[in-house]
Amino acid sequence: MLGKTVTVIIDRTLGSSHPDHPDIIYPVNYGYIHGIIAPDGEEQDAYVLGINAPVDEFTGKVKAIIHRKNDVEDKWVVTPDEYLLLKEDVKKETHFQEQYFDIEIIMQ
């Protein structure tokens, strides 16, 4: 899936609270890819990085996959095509939620 163009439907906009843990505030837009089912039986989740304002949906490239070693699903990282993404950026920008998991960041 790395390098593919996808559209993310944003259901947790930048600045919003996690629905089950209101103390967790999303510093990035977060949502799902309609029609792609992840191993947890839900649509594939994705972080949108490189967009610094809340959006309802975003079309970009899958630049990284966050593999959760201690969970059943991975998270995709989607950015604008021209956005330069480093593993350190992925780790830093998703730490608010990924800190609770043993992760490996996969990039091309």
Side-chain angles (χ1 to χ4, degrees), residues 8 10 29-33 44-48 75-78:
V8 182
I10 306 299
N29 290 292
Y30 180 84
Y32 60 92
I33 315 298
Q44 177 63 53
D45 292 327
Y47 294 100
V48 174
K75 304 293 183 180
W76 294 0
V77 178
V78 179

Side-chain angles (χ1 to χ4, degrees), residues 52-108:
N52 297 318
V55 295
D56 294 328
E57 73 175 39
F58 175 77
T59 299
K61 291 220 174 175
V62 179
K63 298 267 189 85
I65 295 172
I66 299 172
H67 172 62
R68 289 179 169 180
K69 298 176 187 177
N70 57 342
D71 195 16
V72 297
E73 66 175 321
D74 294 338
K75 304 293 183 180
W76 294 0
V77 178
V78 179
T79 74
D81 189 28
E82 68 282 354
Y83 186 75
L84 177 61
L85 185 68
L86 304 172
K87 280 188 181 182
E88 295 79 25
D89 298 330
V90 174
K91 189 172 184 175
K92 183 176 108 186
E93 293 191 49
T94 63
H95 179 77
F96 74 100
Q97 185 163 253
E98 296 305 319
Q99 66 183 315
Y100 304 107
F101 300 93
D102 181 15
I103 65 167
E104 172 186 10
I105 298 169
I106 302 165
M107 298 176 70
Q108 289 180 316

